[in-house]
């Protein structure tokens, strides 16, 4: 039986606007395995930009001199590493390039993005959160080209309302029926779900037998999705059987709804992701702001409505709206960092910010010229002490951008990096990023 | 051949100046766009790794050489299309035909034989319902008023959201489905018990009745004996009828037999290596294609009685479905996806020029859908999509156009009498979606004509192309702004195929309103349609473009190709060109009417027959 205690968590966390007035108690991950310095990975993903305007000229390895685009990041200076002039080595740069988070093109090795790789490796190492990872945001009308596993482009959850349901409704109360009085409602719900899962798995197995390999793969993805739910159910069952175990307190937010503005939906997704961290429901979350090909933007902070790529990047002269949008994005990145700072870590050790590696990644370097020879990252978060502090600018000097993806693995304590990228991928992390 | 949904060259660049120019090789231009989907969908061993990522490869149809701008001949040995152009067969993610004896999914009595003749359907497949189809299915099962939620995502592929490979149940989707199914089932038991069960006793007889009746609708076929046993056990494990019904209905709402349309068939004893789809499967295909909804009880009865086995049976069912109100769902969804206007509700437009309301955007979309439907129902042809001198308007839209003469919110047929350009290209939906927020866009309109109406692949924007822009205020008209494209050698290689087509639309502004002047000068809507049969075609306004498209075999073939993809969820498979040739031939025999074209797609081999996957 799950217990719920009201706590003044909302005020302490400063997150009142979004939150429902009840607190959920969550069983922690089955193994609080500390693999690396950073425990949580937050990926903030956007399209490419205009390097000449973005570049924080005058910055050095030990001091930052922000550009008009990066200036809103200044509040994070003490925990900020800006890296640019990295080369995607032909994996990114044009529309649809796959290398941004994978460091690779399609090849003989199944394409996988760093978020999925980290998620898989954490699970292999025994870190079993209720949700393996969250991929949120994006633009529903566009073909997905950012997040991959097994060569398959992953479709983000576009709607914040749907994301909320996926993240926080797993423990919703069951329906009570006549005759149920002999069985506690929560136990009945879990038992019924277990029965339904058995039936569904049986049907999938039966249908799979009639299919060839290609079609069977669709049901294998379905089976995996059911298995994830099954694992989550197992954790919920354990909680029901161990009601005295209350190590983690978190707040389930109210349903944020869904709007028509993709970028504002992404902000809602960001809040959901941080809440998911706060409840230790996952350790990996990526929020995609817009899409490289087509993002309709109607934000007062940006200016007249238009399309991010065709309008702001290719039609404007001067590119005022691009500057405004980049500044707005930087403000959202800082807002995410602030929320992480305000949120206690589930294990009681400091704040989420202390334990999170934040990384702002892009799928293109120079979006004006469509090339991947000048890729850039923004890194922040305490990351358990992994990141160098004091404010740092790193000129990548043409090194492979994939190296930073391996910094991510290093920070998260992933000991086997061999499965990320292909035979051409440079797997040596950038030393300058480390503390 | 239809191209991928995203536009590579669709940039409203006012000037592009080469700096560090890295020229794409001819082969690289046309291949690189499709590299992502192509490679993933064409694993060498046809293995599962490509599942879900396998978008249709689109390397057929007319391909323009990025260096010369001329159509290039295909050297891969593909079949010839109706215009004499060649198209490569293209790889697919389907694996080999015939299957491998002993491998799951293959019939050991059917030898794995590559079929010698060209008339070959595609592979067996399962196809997840789209979000809308799932909602419509639940409405039929549970009745009106059931709670709706976003549980399924429909990936965008080729401008549509119907891809048979990309739509999966993965990651958190199963949990979303579980949560939702439980809620929907609970709602149904509380509000619509009569619709889901005709009995309510907690005994095996009633349980069997419920499983048989509800299950038949949910699975779109009779439950198997194994399913009967499974669901009887679920029922019996619960303390009450309602609790058991909740578990059974919740499970069925998430069942793979509900979520996936099955196009698997049974081995054809008369044709080695081929499968004939079952009547139930054909019923599902027809119903979802035309109405975006599942087969109703009447259609399921017809399937059960074997009345979907002959062409005449299928025609009768199809015509019946086409006469239903719901037919506008399937037809409207197709035309909006084909023209890539379905995103109009979110398109950023400058409110200082015209404050485009949500209702007006919807009216614009409805005009195009209603026009297509009207043309379909009155025997109109593909050519009349461009040439028909009428449209469908309600009062707000008529007033917007300045046409008047219409009252109320209902759509009615209105003769244009030359007051606006004919056909879909004169619709505000097309003109507004394919434009800038504050001005027309010859590039967007030109690209859409090339890619969606003529199925011509355009090369991607070259990497390292310096696209630094000139000051837009320095130009009085759009033509001047875009003149740099043709003046610059690097830009011109792509834009000489795009801009001259887009200039023909210049009489229509960013909202599809007619303008006679721009920047103090009369609008110049002259242009040219190059790289087409009989071309280059001089253009002067939309009328000239419409005149060409209305009689163009390329345009007909292109529409047929997109409509086929929409129907099948796949664009390519081994020998797919033969299937498409047959469709074109039958559509031609029927005067290329929209109805005969759709019927040709339904009559084609692939609709009712398959090979091993």
């Amino acid at each position: 039986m799950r217990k719920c205690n009201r706590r003044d968590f909302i005020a302490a966390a400063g997150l009142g606007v979004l939150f429902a007035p009840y607190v959920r108690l969550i069983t922690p991950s089955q193994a609080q395995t500390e693999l690396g310095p950073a425990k949580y990975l937050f990926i903030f993903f956007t399209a490419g930009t205009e390097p000449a305007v973005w570049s924080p000229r005058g910055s050095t390895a030990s001091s930052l001199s922000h550009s008009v685009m990066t200036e809103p990041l200044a509040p994070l200076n003490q925990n900020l590493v800006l890296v640019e002039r990295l080369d995607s080595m032909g994996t990114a740069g044009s529309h649809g390039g796959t290398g941004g988070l994978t460091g690779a093109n399609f090849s003989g090795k199944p394409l996988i993005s760093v978020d999925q790789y980290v998620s898989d490796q954490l699970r292999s190492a025994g870190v079993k959160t209720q949700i393996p990872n969250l991929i949120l945001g994006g633009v529903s009308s566009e073909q997905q080209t950012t997040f991959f596993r097994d060569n398959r482009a992953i479709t983000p959850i576009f709607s914040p309302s749907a994301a909320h349901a996926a993240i926080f409704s797993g423990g919703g109360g069951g329906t009570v029926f006549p005759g149920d009085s002999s069985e506690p409602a929560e136990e009945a719900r879990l038992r019924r779900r277990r029965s339904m899962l058995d039936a569904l798995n049986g049907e999938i197995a039966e249908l799979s037998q009639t299919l060839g390999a290609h079609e069977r793969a669709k049901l294998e993805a379905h089976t995996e999705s059911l298995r994830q739910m099954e694992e989550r159910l197992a954790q919920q069952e354990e909680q029901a059987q161990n009601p005295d175990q209350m190590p983690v307190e978190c707040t389930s937010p109210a349903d944020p709804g869904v709007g028509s503005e993709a970028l504002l939906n992404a902000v809602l997704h960001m809040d959901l992701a941080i809440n998911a961290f706060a409840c230790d429901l996952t350790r990996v979350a990526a929020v995609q702001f817009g899409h490289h090909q087509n993002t309709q933007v109607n934000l007062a902070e940006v200016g007249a409505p238009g399309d991010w790529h065709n309008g702001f990047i290719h039609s404007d002269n001067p590119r005022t709206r691009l500057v405004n949008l980049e500044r707005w994005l930087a403000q959202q990145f800082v807002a995410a960092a602030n929320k992480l700072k305000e949120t206690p870590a589930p294990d009681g050790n400091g704040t989420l910010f202390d334990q999170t590696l934040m990384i702002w990644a892009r799928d293109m370097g120079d979006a004006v010229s469509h090339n991947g020879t000048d890729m850039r990252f923004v890194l922040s978060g305490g990351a358990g002490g992994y990141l160098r502090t004091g404010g740092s600018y790193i000129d990548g000097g043409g090194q492979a951008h994939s190296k930073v993806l391996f910094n991510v693995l290093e920070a998260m304590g992933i000991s086997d990096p061999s499965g990320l990228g292909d035979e051409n991928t440079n797997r040596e992390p950038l030393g300058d990023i480390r503390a | 051949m239809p191209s991928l949904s995203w536009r590579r060259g669709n940039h409203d660049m006012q000037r592009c100046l080469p700096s560090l120019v890295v020229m794409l090789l001819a082969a690289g231009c046309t291949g690189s766009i499709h590299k992502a989907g192509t490679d993933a969908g064409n694993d060498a061993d046809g293995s599962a790794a490509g599942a879900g990522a396998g978008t249709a490869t689109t390397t057929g149809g007319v391909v323009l050489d990025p260096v010369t701008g001329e159509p290039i001949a295909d050297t891969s040995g593909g079949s010839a299309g109706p215009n004499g152009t060649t198209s490569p067969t293209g790889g697919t993610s389907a694996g080999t035909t015939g299957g491998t004896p002993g491998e799951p999914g293959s019939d050991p009595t059917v030898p794995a034989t590559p079929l010698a003749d060209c008339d070959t359907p595609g592979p067996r497949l399962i196809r997840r319902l789209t979000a809308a189809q799932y909602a419509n299915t639940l409405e039929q099962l549970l009745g009106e008023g059931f709670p709706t939620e976003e549980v399924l995502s429909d990936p965008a592929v080729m401008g549509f959201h119907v891809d048979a490979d990309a739509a999966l149940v993965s990651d958190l989707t199963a949990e979303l489905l579980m949560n939702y199914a439980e809620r929907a089932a609970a709602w149904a038991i509380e509000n619509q018990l009569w619709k889901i069960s005709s009995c309510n006793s907690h005994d095996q007889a009633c349980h069997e009745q419920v499983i048989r009746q509800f299950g038949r609708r949910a699975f779109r076929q009779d439950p198997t004996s194994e399913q009967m046993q499974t669901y009887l056990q679920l029922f019996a494990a619960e303390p009450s009828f309602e609790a058991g019904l909740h578990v059974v209905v919740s499970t069925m709402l998430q069942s793979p037999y509900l979520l996936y349309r099955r196009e698997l068939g049974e081995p054809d004893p008369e044709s080695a290596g081929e499968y004939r789809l079952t009547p139930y499967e054909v019923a599902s295909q027809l119903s979802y294609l035309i109405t975006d909804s599942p087969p109703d009880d009447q259609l399921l009865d017809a399937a059960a009685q074997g009345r979907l086995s002959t062409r005449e049976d299928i025609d009768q069912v199809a015509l019946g479905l086409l006469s239903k109100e719901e037919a506008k769902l399937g037809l409207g969804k197709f035309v909006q996806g084909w023209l890539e206007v379905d995103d109009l509700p979110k398109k950023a437009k400058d409110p200082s020029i015209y404050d485009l309301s949500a209702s007006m955007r919807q009216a614009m979309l409805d005009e195009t859908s209603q026009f297509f439907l009207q043309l379909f129902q009155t025997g109109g042809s593909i050519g009349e999509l461009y040439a028909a001198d009428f449209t469908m308007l309600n009062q707000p839209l008529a007033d917007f156009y300045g046409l008047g003469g219409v009252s109320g919110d209902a759509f009615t047929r209105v003769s244009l009498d030359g007051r606006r350009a004919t056909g879909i290209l004169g619709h505000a939906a097309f003109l507004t979606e394919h434009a800038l927020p504050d001005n027309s866009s010859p590039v967007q309109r030109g690209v859409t004509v090339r890619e969606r109406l003529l199925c011509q692949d355009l090369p991607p924007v070259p990497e390292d192309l310096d696209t630094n822009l000139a000051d837009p205020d320095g130009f009085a008209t759009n033509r001047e702004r875009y003149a740099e494209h043709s003046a610059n050698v690097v830009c011109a290689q792509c834009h000489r195929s795009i801009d001259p087509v887009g200039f023909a639309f210049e009489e229509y502004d960013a909202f599809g309103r007619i303008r006679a002047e721009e920047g103090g000068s009369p609008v110049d809507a002259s242009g040219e349609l190059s790289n087409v049969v009989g071309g280059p075609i001089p253009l002067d306004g939309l009328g000239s473009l419409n005149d060409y498209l209305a009689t163009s075999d390329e345009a007909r073939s292109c529409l047929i190709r997109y409509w086929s993809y929409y129907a099948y969820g796949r664009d390519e498979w081994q020998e797919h060109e033969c299937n498409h040739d047959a469709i074109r031939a039958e559509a031609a025999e029927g005067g290329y009417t929209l109805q005969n074209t759709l019927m040709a797609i339904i009559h084609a081999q692939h609709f009712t027959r398959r090979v091993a996957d």
Side-chain angles (χ1 to χ4, degrees), chain B residues 299-493:
Chain B
L299 186 48
L300 289 175
D301 288 341
Q305 294 158 14
R307 288 189 279 116
L308 272 163
S309 304
T310 67
R311 180 159 158 160
E312 290 70 29
D313 290 341
I314 290 172
D315 282 0
Q316 189 174 7
V317 167
L319 292 173
L321 289 168
L322 285 166
S323 68
K324 295 175 80 168
E325 180 67 18
E326 291 83 352
K328 69 176 185 288
L329 290 175
L331 297 179
K333 197 157 287 187
F334 164 69
V335 69
Q336 290 186 16
W338 170 48
L339 298 174
E340 292 190 311
V341 296
D342 46 358
D343 205 36
L344 185 58
K346 296 180 190 170
K347 180 80 175 184
K349 304 300 287 189
D350 191 340
S352 69
I353 296 178
Y354 184 87
D355 194 1
L356 193 60
S357 66
S359 62
M360 183 60 76
R361 292 169 188 254
Q362 189 56 50
M364 291 176 173
L365 285 175
D366 287 342
E367 175 191 13
T368 297
S369 296
Q370 295 270 359
F371 171 80
F372 189 87
L373 194 65
Q374 173 76 193
L375 210 56
F376 187 100
Q377 291 171 337
T378 56
S381 67
I382 295 176
E384 288 178 85
L385 288 171
Y386 306 103
D389 190 34
F390 76 92
T391 190
M392 302 295 288
L393 299 176
N394 63 4
Q395 181 177 353
L397 195 53
D399 290 346
F400 172 80
Y401 283 151
L403 297 181
V406 180
S407 61
D409 288 334
F411 279 79
T412 186
R413 181 171 170 141
V414 174
S415 294
L416 290 172
D417 298 325
R419 292 176 291 172
R420 285 184 65 84
T422 57
I424 52 178
L425 298 187
H427 289 181
F430 186 95
L431 296 163
T432 304
E433 171 67 32
H434 303 300
L436 298 174
D438 58 355
N439 207 336
S440 63
S441 170
V443 173
Q444 292 185 44
R445 292 163 178 180
V447 167
T448 307
V449 169
R450 289 289 185 193
E451 293 188 344
R452 306 303 285 188
L453 308 188
L454 294 171
C455 290
Q456 295 178 346
D457 286 344
L458 292 168
V461 178
E463 289 192 14
D464 286 325
L465 184 65
D466 185 347
T467 58
N468 282 313
L469 307 173
D471 183 352
D473 292 336
F475 302 99
T477 67
N478 245 3
R479 288 190 82 98
E480 291 174 18
R481 291 172 67 195
Y482 289 96
E484 288 291 331
H485 286 165
S486 52
N488 179 278
V489 169
V490 175
C491 303
Q493 291 173 11

Side-chain angles (χ1 to χ4, degrees), chain A residues 33-46:
Chain A
T33 308
E34 301 297 341
L35 295 184
K39 204 164 164 183
Y40 299 90
L41 174 62
F42 178 76
I43 299 176
F44 184 99
F45 195 86
T46 71

Side-chain angles (χ1 to χ4, degrees), chain A residues 167-179:
Chain A
I167 300 168
F168 297 105
S169 297
T175 306
V176 177
F177 293 100

